[in-house]
Amino acid sequence: MMKRNQILVIVFLVLIGMLSGCQVLHSEKPIGMAPEGLQVLGDVAQFGDVTVYWDTLTKETVVFDENDYTAIPAEMLIAAFQPLEGTREVALIADDGFMVKLPYDTLTDTYIGYREELGWCYLTEKHPVNARIKHIREIIVIGDDADAVGKSGLNIVTKEANVHLSLGELLAGSYCSIAFLDGSSNLDGLEIDVMKRKKCIRLSDLLTDAGSTLDVSNLLIMDREGEHYYESVSDGYFEVENQKINYISTDLHTVIRDIYGAVINPPAVSNRDNFDDSIHYLEKGQKVVTLFLDGFSYTQYEAIKATHPDWFLSQLEAVQMATTVYKPVTNAGFAAMITGEVPAVNGVFDRSYRMINCGTIFDRTASMGRSSALIEGDIKILDIQTKTYLNTDDNGDGYTDDEVFERAKALIESGEQPDYLLVHFHGIDDAGHDYGRFHEKTLQRIEAVNGYVKELRALMSAETKVVITADHGMHDTADGGDHGDFRYEDLIVPYAID
């Protein structure tokens, strides 16, 4: 017979086990093959099923509510899929659609467990009882990285705001369900449509959630292949397919895959119009000068027009809002201006590209038997076939604008102005990077360039047509300014013909 002390010890251990809702026991026997059906999605390096990492995960046998589970620490499971910086929440979604969102930093000492009759379950004593979801089919990691705005995920650009939703926010948000035609089959004259239900997010819902009051009439959608699509629509859908975002029109006839985002009610004008407009006037026998103000955003133009109405740029007639291309950086925007084409056609997607895959305005001018030239800063940005004047910062003031101006001035005054001339001022972009869009020193640089533009225009004949535009805009950062994102400040630039 057991001694009294032994009985007390056993009773004590049983009581401890009963009071402990989640007791970890390390199993000595193999746990077996990976159970299927649990997806980890959202703001992670790669979507996937738990089976992908099963062999590398530490499995334990966990006793919870008097049942044994094959379990993995929740933090460890999610870490295997490499959550992106800024992860703030995790959504657990069951087969029946039941969902809970949990703060990411509360997952320590909780488990994702599997039991055949209950499927995947969340085992926790730290959260309310309704967090103990059974039959989990999806774990969605939700990020909140401010640096991702305009880069990853879905970006909706309006003049009111830049609406950004990460993949995790999209997947854990409100959906509508649409039946999408996936094909058809025919047997003995009987044709049957094959439909596929898609979970989609409606554009109008996204705008409403963002507090936008805009009525949508047009969209400009840019994809990751460098194509731009103009759609005359009042609404549309977005779907997450793997780690890509697709746009689907409301009539379900248009599908644009792997997009960066959409500009709502975009301007009718683009800086690519520089190509067609310049050719138009050249064909009429006129001379054309393009004054290229690097990094001059439409938001900066609006600011100086309001605060410095006496400046030459502020007094230009018919200055229009214009889009640039994605990615809004100098190489891509410059290539768009001189080819009239989007990156998918001209082949210049970002700063790493210099070769152009199609004809330029300089090529077209030469084919017309007309002369052309480019006045640049101290480096040749694109591989352009025309006479090029490079200019270094000879006086050491930190900018090449004055040297570019003097070169252009001398060329015009010499009587040797070519039929087409492009003059590239870099200083507004340089100052914007260093100080931000509206810093006093940036405004001083805009004022200096404004003076150069005014004087050059005065030197030209009245018959010479002058196009004034930019390659991209600029947004503010903690330590100055930057560009290259899918956002209003970077994508919208001024465009004027004088």
Side-chain angles (χ1 to χ4, degrees), residues 425-446:
F425 292 104
H426 290 256
I428 296 173
D429 182 65
D430 294 337
H433 277 288
D434 289 340
Y435 307 110
R437 280 179 298 164
F438 305 120
H439 191 278
E440 180 182 358
K441 291 188 177 181
T442 304
L443 294 176
Q444 289 173 356
R445 181 46 36 188
I446 296 174

Side-chain angles (χ1 to χ4, degrees), residues 164-338:
H164 171 75
L165 291 168
S166 71
L167 291 177
E169 289 174 312
L170 286 167
L171 289 167
S174 299
Y175 281 97
C176 59
S177 182
I178 61 173
F180 191 82
L181 181 64
D182 199 42
S184 61
S185 60
N186 189 300
L187 178 63
D188 298 331
L190 177 62
E191 185 170 317
I192 299 176
D193 289 337
V194 179
M195 311 298 289
K196 183 177 182 180
R197 299 205 69 83
K198 289 180 176 285
K199 296 192 308 181
C200 296
I201 305 97
R202 189 183 286 272
L203 170 61
S204 54
D205 292 337
L206 292 180
L207 293 176
T208 299
D209 291 345
S212 174
T213 58
L214 289 177
D215 291 326
V216 179
S217 58
N218 292 281
L219 293 178
L220 168 56
I221 299 171
M222 303 183 189
D223 71 11
R224 294 180 183 272
E225 297 295 324
E227 286 284 4
H228 292 197
Y229 304 86
Y230 287 88
E231 296 287 314
S232 295
V233 295
S234 60
D235 209 344
Y237 303 102
F238 299 98
E239 70 157 340
V240 179
E241 183 180 39
N242 297 322
Q243 289 184 276
K244 299 176 181 179
I245 298 172
N246 305 326
Y247 168 80
I248 304 173
S249 61
T250 50
D251 61 9
L252 309 184
H253 290 162
T254 300
V255 179
I256 304 173
R257 299 187 181 281
D258 198 11
I259 68 171
Y260 282 111
V263 181
I264 307 299
N265 301 334
V269 177
S270 164
N271 62 359
R272 289 180 284 136
D273 291 343
N274 174 68
F275 180 89
D276 287 333
D277 289 338
S278 297
I279 295 300
H280 169 75
Y281 291 113
L282 286 167
E283 288 178 338
K284 291 176 64 176
Q286 295 174 267
K287 289 189 174 183
V288 178
V289 176
T290 298
L291 299 178
F292 173 4
L293 313 187
D294 199 308
F296 187 42
S297 70
Y298 193 81
T299 59
Q300 290 171 310
Y301 164 73
E302 288 182 310
I304 66 164
K305 187 174 177 63
T307 57
H308 300 284
D310 56 322
W311 287 8
F312 178 78
L313 291 172
S314 300
Q315 294 178 351
L316 286 171
E317 295 183 5
V319 177
Q320 301 180 77
M321 296 173 62
T323 55
T324 187
V325 296
Y326 190 89
K327 193 171 189 178
V329 293
T330 295
N331 296 47
F334 189 2
M337 290 164 54
I338 62 174

Side-chain angles (χ1 to χ4, degrees), residues 74 133 251 336 374 423 432:
I133 295 185
D251 61 9
L374 166 65
V423 183

